[in-house]
Amino acid sequence: MSYQIKVLLLSFCVGLIVSLIVIPILRKLKVGQIEREDGPQSHLKKQGTPTMGGLAIIVTIILMGVVSYIQYKAKEPTVVRNLIPLILVSVGFGLVGLVDDFKKLVLKNTEGLKPAYKMLGLLIISVSFVIYLYKTIGTQTLIPIIKTYVTMPVLLYVPFAIFVMLGTTNAVNLTDGIDGLATSVTTIIIACLTVIGIMIDVKEVVLLGSIVCGANLAFLIFNMYPAKVFMGDTGSLLLGGVIVAMALYLKMPLILIVIALIPVLETLSVMMQVAYFKKTGKRIFKMAPLHHHFELSGWNENKIVSIFSIITLVLCFVGLNII
């Protein structure tokens, strides 16, 4: 059995155990979901469901990172050394979300982490990782379809990469709105990036992808409809960080336009809704982000998750053929 499968299966088992420990703790602390009164009425029954469950994914990634380091430090020292920054940036984004969730749900501060502080935290992590990338792997970036690498000027690459990091984490955050959606879509995207890592033999990316896919699948058992736990900003920012860290490390951030089209559309739907409403006082969608529009159009949550996941899966196959 290849090491990727072994890592994934072990991560799944660890994630399952961690989730079984973390969820009752969240329930005991009454860290419950707060639903918007102007949102879909079907969501009101979710009020009080334990959230901040992304903490289980963070703990699983850290534990598996330690296991991987111990397992591979002798025979693959460079791989595990390069894995550490990928885990750090991913967990760093998750910790920003954790602080936000903690303030809102545990300290009962409805404002949570102030947007300026939240953006500052995400920006510091993004800048640090982009500088690391520039110093270690350079500024080469693949142009999909024509399958050509271009070396971007530093003054262009740095703001571009930072924009991609902030945009991706925000997009995944917006995708997290119904049971199992963000978990399912991001698992498929991360699996695709892992396959790319296997194709071009970037083992640190393969390790991270295998770990996160296993952790996500374990979490999905509790997050699928009807969800027993939600990931909160802790999980959505973490998974956005994983995706963008893998894509940038593979020198393929532009592939996210294809394989992460669902999060991209979720973001665009919000931007279009806000801009159109400010200009005309009317709405384009029944509600934004996009998944809520379909929900209010009569689609049930399982249908939305299934269709968005199938679309993502198809787009990932397309992505694999244009790199």
Side-chain angles (χ1 to χ4, degrees), residues 269-281:
S269 70
V270 173
M271 295 170 63
M272 291 167 62
Q273 185 89 319
V274 171
Y276 191 74
F277 186 80
K278 284 183 177 179
K279 188 173 182 178
T280 67

PDB file of all heavy atoms in Angstrom, residues 269-281:
ATOM      1  N   SER A 269     -20.896  35.897  -6.035  1.00  0.00           N
ATOM      2  CA  SER A 269     -22.322  36.111  -5.781  1.00  0.00           C
ATOM      3  C   SER A 269     -22.533  37.160  -4.689  1.00  0.00           C
ATOM      4  O   SER A 269     -23.443  37.985  -4.774  1.00  0.00           O
ATOM      5  CB  SER A 269     -23.008  34.794  -5.395  1.00  0.00           C
ATOM      6  OG  SER A 269     -22.600  34.345  -4.113  1.00  0.00           O
ATOM      7  N   VAL A 270     -21.678  37.130  -3.664  1.00  0.00           N
ATOM      8  CA  VAL A 270     -21.768  38.123  -2.590  1.00  0.00           C
ATOM      9  C   VAL A 270     -21.397  39.506  -3.111  1.00  0.00           C
ATOM     10  O   VAL A 270     -22.085  40.499  -2.833  1.00  0.00           O
ATOM     11  CB  VAL A 270     -20.855  37.727  -1.410  1.00  0.00           C
ATOM     12  CG1 VAL A 270     -20.806  38.838  -0.368  1.00  0.00           C
ATOM     13  CG2 VAL A 270     -21.339  36.431  -0.776  1.00  0.00           C
ATOM     14  N   MET A 271     -20.317  39.580  -3.880  1.00  0.00           N
ATOM     15  CA  MET A 271     -19.869  40.869  -4.421  1.00  0.00           C
ATOM     16  C   MET A 271     -20.927  41.465  -5.344  1.00  0.00           C
ATOM     17  O   MET A 271     -21.228  42.670  -5.278  1.00  0.00           O
ATOM     18  CB  MET A 271     -18.541  40.682  -5.163  1.00  0.00           C
ATOM     19  CG  MET A 271     -17.388  40.262  -4.267  1.00  0.00           C
ATOM     20  SD  MET A 271     -15.898  39.771  -5.188  1.00  0.00           S
ATOM     21  CE  MET A 271     -15.486  41.303  -6.002  1.00  0.00           C
ATOM     22  N   MET A 272     -21.491  40.632  -6.208  1.00  0.00           N
ATOM     23  CA  MET A 272     -22.523  41.109  -7.133  1.00  0.00           C
ATOM     24  C   MET A 272     -23.771  41.550  -6.377  1.00  0.00           C
ATOM     25  O   MET A 272     -24.360  42.593  -6.701  1.00  0.00           O
ATOM     26  CB  MET A 272     -22.878  39.991  -8.123  1.00  0.00           C
ATOM     27  CG  MET A 272     -21.772  39.658  -9.111  1.00  0.00           C
ATOM     28  SD  MET A 272     -22.072  38.108 -10.005  1.00  0.00           S
ATOM     29  CE  MET A 272     -23.592  38.502 -10.873  1.00  0.00           C
ATOM     30  N   GLN A 273     -24.164  40.774  -5.382  1.00  0.00           N
ATOM     31  CA  GLN A 273     -25.367  41.098  -4.604  1.00  0.00           C
ATOM     32  C   GLN A 273     -25.218  42.447  -3.907  1.00  0.00           C
ATOM     33  O   GLN A 273     -26.115  43.290  -3.963  1.00  0.00           O
ATOM     34  CB  GLN A 273     -25.622  39.993  -3.578  1.00  0.00           C
ATOM     35  CG  GLN A 273     -26.900  40.153  -2.783  1.00  0.00           C
ATOM     36  CD  GLN A 273     -28.080  39.495  -3.453  1.00  0.00           C
ATOM     37  OE1 GLN A 273     -28.233  39.575  -4.671  1.00  0.00           O
ATOM     38  NE2 GLN A 273     -28.910  38.843  -2.670  1.00  0.00           N
ATOM     39  N   VAL A 274     -24.082  42.651  -3.260  1.00  0.00           N
ATOM     40  CA  VAL A 274     -23.846  43.899  -2.522  1.00  0.00           C
ATOM     41  C   VAL A 274     -23.798  45.092  -3.472  1.00  0.00           C
ATOM     42  O   VAL A 274     -24.443  46.129  -3.236  1.00  0.00           O
ATOM     43  CB  VAL A 274     -22.540  43.801  -1.701  1.00  0.00           C
ATOM     44  CG1 VAL A 274     -22.172  45.156  -1.102  1.00  0.00           C
ATOM     45  CG2 VAL A 274     -22.673  42.758  -0.598  1.00  0.00           C
ATOM     46  N   ALA A 275     -23.041  44.962  -4.555  1.00  0.00           N
ATOM     47  CA  ALA A 275     -22.891  46.064  -5.504  1.00  0.00           C
ATOM     48  C   ALA A 275     -24.227  46.427  -6.165  1.00  0.00           C
ATOM     49  O   ALA A 275     -24.584  47.609  -6.267  1.00  0.00           O
ATOM     50  CB  ALA A 275     -21.860  45.701  -6.572  1.00  0.00           C
ATOM     51  N   TYR A 276     -24.977  45.403  -6.572  1.00  0.00           N
ATOM     52  CA  TYR A 276     -26.262  45.642  -7.255  1.00  0.00           C
ATOM     53  C   TYR A 276     -27.292  46.247  -6.297  1.00  0.00           C
ATOM     54  O   TYR A 276     -28.057  47.139  -6.664  1.00  0.00           O
ATOM     55  CB  TYR A 276     -26.791  44.335  -7.836  1.00  0.00           C
ATOM     56  CG  TYR A 276     -27.967  44.503  -8.774  1.00  0.00           C
ATOM     57  CD1 TYR A 276     -27.777  45.017 -10.057  1.00  0.00           C
ATOM     58  CD2 TYR A 276     -29.249  44.154  -8.374  1.00  0.00           C
ATOM     59  CE1 TYR A 276     -28.853  45.173 -10.924  1.00  0.00           C
ATOM     60  CE2 TYR A 276     -30.337  44.310  -9.231  1.00  0.00           C
ATOM     61  CZ  TYR A 276     -30.135  44.818 -10.504  1.00  0.00           C
ATOM     62  OH  TYR A 276     -31.205  44.977 -11.346  1.00  0.00           O
ATOM     63  N   PHE A 277     -27.281  45.760  -5.038  1.00  0.00           N
ATOM     64  CA  PHE A 277     -28.236  46.278  -4.055  1.00  0.00           C
ATOM     65  C   PHE A 277     -27.946  47.735  -3.720  1.00  0.00           C
ATOM     66  O   PHE A 277     -28.863  48.560  -3.577  1.00  0.00           O
ATOM     67  CB  PHE A 277     -28.197  45.428  -2.781  1.00  0.00           C
ATOM     68  CG  PHE A 277     -29.245  45.803  -1.784  1.00  0.00           C
ATOM     69  CD1 PHE A 277     -30.555  45.363  -1.930  1.00  0.00           C
ATOM     70  CD2 PHE A 277     -28.932  46.612  -0.686  1.00  0.00           C
ATOM     71  CE1 PHE A 277     -31.535  45.716  -1.014  1.00  0.00           C
ATOM     72  CE2 PHE A 277     -29.909  46.966   0.237  1.00  0.00           C
ATOM     73  CZ  PHE A 277     -31.217  46.514   0.070  1.00  0.00           C
ATOM     74  N   LYS A 278     -26.661  48.078  -3.605  1.00  0.00           N
ATOM     75  CA  LYS A 278     -26.292  49.462  -3.308  1.00  0.00           C
ATOM     76  C   LYS A 278     -26.698  50.395  -4.436  1.00  0.00           C
ATOM     77  O   LYS A 278     -27.079  51.550  -4.206  1.00  0.00           O
ATOM     78  CB  LYS A 278     -24.777  49.568  -3.066  1.00  0.00           C
ATOM     79  CG  LYS A 278     -24.327  49.054  -1.708  1.00  0.00           C
ATOM     80  CD  LYS A 278     -22.836  49.250  -1.510  1.00  0.00           C
ATOM     81  CE  LYS A 278     -22.406  48.793  -0.111  1.00  0.00           C
ATOM     82  NZ  LYS A 278     -20.939  48.971   0.076  1.00  0.00           N
ATOM     83  N   LYS A 279     -26.632  49.885  -5.656  1.00  0.00           N
ATOM     84  CA  LYS A 279     -26.931  50.724  -6.818  1.00  0.00           C
ATOM     85  C   LYS A 279     -28.422  50.829  -7.097  1.00  0.00           C
ATOM     86  O   LYS A 279     -28.916  51.907  -7.480  1.00  0.00           O
ATOM     87  CB  LYS A 279     -26.215  50.149  -8.055  1.00  0.00           C
ATOM     88  CG  LYS A 279     -26.304  51.043  -9.277  1.00  0.00           C
ATOM     89  CD  LYS A 279     -25.442  50.500 -10.409  1.00  0.00           C
ATOM     90  CE  LYS A 279     -25.506  51.436 -11.618  1.00  0.00           C
ATOM     91  NZ  LYS A 279     -24.649  50.964 -12.734  1.00  0.00           N
ATOM     92  N   THR A 280     -29.169  49.733  -6.914  1.00  0.00           N
ATOM     93  CA  THR A 280     -30.573  49.713  -7.329  1.00  0.00           C
ATOM     94  C   THR A 280     -31.563  49.485  -6.182  1.00  0.00           C
ATOM     95  O   THR A 280     -32.759  49.723  -6.343  1.00  0.00           O
ATOM     96  CB  THR A 280     -30.809  48.610  -8.376  1.00  0.00           C
ATOM     97  OG1 THR A 280     -30.622  47.322  -7.756  1.00  0.00           O
ATOM     98  CG2 THR A 280     -29.844  48.743  -9.544  1.00  0.00           C
ATOM     99  N   GLY A 281     -31.060  49.000  -5.037  1.00  0.00           N
ATOM    100  CA  GLY A 281     -31.972  48.655  -3.949  1.00  0.00           C
ATOM    101  C   GLY A 281     -32.654  47.316  -4.159  1.00  0.00           C
ATOM    102  O   GLY A 281     -33.523  46.923  -3.383  1.00  0.00           O
TER     103      GLY A 281
END
